[in-house]
Amino acid sequence: MNRHGLELAIKAAGLGEFEWDIARDTFVVSQHMAAITGVPAGEVGAEGGRVMDRHIHPEDRDRYLRERALGLESDGAWEAEFRQIRPDDGRTIWVRISAVVSRDSNGRPACVTGLVEDITQRKHEEDQRHTLMAELDHRVKNMLATVQALAQQTAKRTTSLESFLANFSGRLKAMGSANELLTAARWRGAAIDHLVSAELGALAPGQTRWEGPELFLTPRAANALSLALHELGANAVKFGALSSDHGHVEIRWSRRTDGGFELVWTETGGPRVVPPARRGFGSTLLDQVTGRELNGGAEVDYRPAGVQARLRAGAQAVAPRPETVPEAPAARAVETVITSSRGADLKGARVLIVEDAVLLALELETGLSEAGAEVIGPAYELEEAMALLDRPIDAAVLDANLNGRSVTPVAEALSRRKVPFVFATGYGEAGGAPGGFDAPVIRKPYDVTQVAAAVAELLRS
């Protein structure tokens, strides 16, 4: 390649060239390097290399000088990355140099020839990834700690395993519902009407209504409100207005002058209300946790005509509305928690389990077996699942994603054989089942008895 062609290639690659003649103590900066670094092009006195060293960020200079010294002593080439302060405009950029050392007849370094690359964008992206990973780590630990506390507090206030499973599963699903909305909005927050719709939209069609101004809540407030609405809804179904076909629940929220909001839950038309004889964890959630998490307060009035709850939130609970807010998800179907897998009769049914999370797969295997099913699998990988398809199968439970690979090939094969299946997945697609299949969907986190019930329903239809 001729010199002109080499220059074009270097320019196209976004590189700049330099030459440090140690014997003559000169440094040559190319036009390409000048454009990258802001150092004037041409030949200058090298001053033993210090002419360029003075532009290196003070925090990186000593490290680079050590790397260069080692490079000069070695045979061949060396590379280094450091921040440089451009002398023309004062901007700090990240550069990467690749240098080759040539030696004289006595073996002493005579010349250094190298290339310079601007890696500022790459470093910025790396910093963003590190920040996101740290934030993800923080959120995961917070979520696990919250789930642990939720389990412990629920267990302390329940008298049976069945009651614990029902209460804990419902609260976990409320957290999952809020998390789904937050994920859709990239964890900037969630719209209050979306939260209400997700919790109550399918709870009692025709018996619930809500209205209020458009508000966008912080992630912390969204989680707290979702849990509060779940507790109120669960109580209304068990003991309150929604335990009767004639009862109604109305939710209204309004802005407060301090920048926060107030939400009022009102039940009417249900059985006469009697204040609870003992405080359960649900009451603690409403009275203490919800109020504090909303930077406000919560009050529940057990009026004879119907429960009324008033939730007040401070300005800290309200987030700036993003330019685009995800559309409201379809109302989440209420998944009745069956407190025993014996409630679903799967005797003799051959059920394929495809799930990449080992603990979940084992829990599914146990639950379906207790319901009488003959479990095929579990299959943890796509290839495992495909290899099991030649066996007699009556129904299947499929995770949508298997270690980053879609379960679609398995679903397609089952559809061709007219074998019904249910998706048990953590993917929150509002448009129905993953891949557009006509199949029931149970969102994680779930209770295995829900899956058993769904499979039993498939086999009856």
Side-chain angles (χ1 to χ4, degrees), residues 433-453:
F437 289 97
D438 183 16
V441 180
I442 296 179
R443 305 291 183 197
K444 296 176 181 176
Y446 54 69
D447 187 291
V448 68
T449 54
Q450 297 171 265
V451 181

Side-chain angles (χ1 to χ4, degrees), residues 46-361:
E47 303 176 23
R50 292 185 296 277
V51 68
M52 293 295 136
D53 298 346
R54 63 173 61 104
H55 301 306
I56 299 175
H57 194 284
E59 294 178 5
D60 297 344
R61 189 177 297 142
D62 289 344
R63 174 178 54 81
Y64 168 70
L65 292 179
R66 289 194 299 270
E67 292 173 347
R68 185 176 71 186
L70 291 173
L72 290 172
E73 292 174 4
S74 65
D75 294 327
W78 92 85
E79 296 180 353
E81 296 180 358
F82 53 86
R83 286 168 292 176
Q84 182 197 358
I85 301 174
R86 289 177 58 112
D88 56 347
D89 57 17
R91 288 189 297 118
T92 298
I93 62 172
W94 274 94
V95 296
R96 173 178 177 270
I97 69 166
S98 302
V100 178
V101 182
S102 57
R103 301 181 180 278
D104 60 20
S105 57
N106 296 318
R108 292 189 297 266
C111 186
V112 177
T113 305
L115 295 173
V116 177
E117 178 185 5
D118 185 346
I119 60 170
T120 305
Q121 182 62 30
R122 192 196 82 193
K123 285 290 187 180
H124 177 65
E125 291 170 355
E126 287 178 359
D127 288 344
Q128 282 187 318
R129 281 196 295 272
H130 291 155
T131 300
L132 288 173
M133 289 303 295
E135 178 65 18
L136 178 61
D137 180 63
H138 171 72
R139 285 179 181 168
V140 168
K141 288 177 178 176
N142 269 356
M143 184 65 72
L144 290 174
T146 300
V147 170
Q148 183 181 45
L150 202 61
Q152 291 173 341
Q153 292 298 323
T154 303
K156 288 178 181 178
R157 292 169 169 81
T158 50
T159 56
S160 69
L161 177 60
E162 292 184 352
S163 177
F164 166 79
L165 290 175
N167 292 334
F168 180 63
S169 177
R171 287 162 182 159
L172 207 56
K173 287 204 72 65
M175 291 178 63
S177 175
N179 188 78
E180 196 171 305
L181 289 169
L182 292 170
T183 300
R186 299 181 182 179
W187 274 84
R188 292 168 296 182
I192 190 171
D193 57 322
H194 292 186
L195 289 165
V196 176
S197 176
E199 287 301 325
L200 302 180
L203 194 61
Q207 292 181 258
T208 58
R209 65 182 300 270
W210 54 87
E211 64 177 343
E214 191 175 80
L215 285 172
F216 201 74
L217 308 189
T218 65
R220 178 177 177 179
N223 271 312
L225 183 60
S226 185
L227 271 175
L229 293 172
H230 166 75
E231 294 301 322
L232 290 168
N235 287 334
V237 168
K238 291 178 183 178
F239 316 112
L242 300 184
S243 66
S244 162
D245 292 339
H246 306 292
H248 292 85
V249 171
E250 181 176 77
I251 303 172
R252 293 178 180 270
W253 63 89
S254 58
R255 295 179 184 272
R256 297 174 59 190
T257 56
D258 63 0
F261 69 91
E262 181 176 81
L263 181 146
V264 179
W265 168 292
T266 304
E267 298 182 28
T268 56
R272 181 179 177 82
V273 173
V274 177
R278 55 182 290 272
R279 286 175 57 85
F281 181 52
S283 298
T284 302
L285 271 176
L286 288 169
D287 293 350
Q288 298 182 30
V289 179
T290 300
R292 289 184 181 276
E293 292 292 283
L294 293 176
N295 296 106
E299 300 170 358
V300 180
D301 184 5
Y302 295 96
R303 303 181 305 174
V307 170
Q308 183 176 81
R310 192 177 300 272
L311 309 179
R312 296 184 306 280
Q316 302 94 320
V318 180
R321 178 182 170 84
E323 291 184 5
T324 58
V325 177
E327 292 184 4
R332 178 167 62 85
V334 176
E335 294 159 339
T336 303
V337 178
I338 304 170
T339 57
S340 170
S341 56
R342 292 189 297 271
D345 184 6
L346 298 178
K347 186 175 181 179
R350 296 160 295 192
V351 182
L352 170 66
I353 296 176
V354 182
E355 169 62 65
D356 62 356
V358 178
L359 287 176
L360 280 178

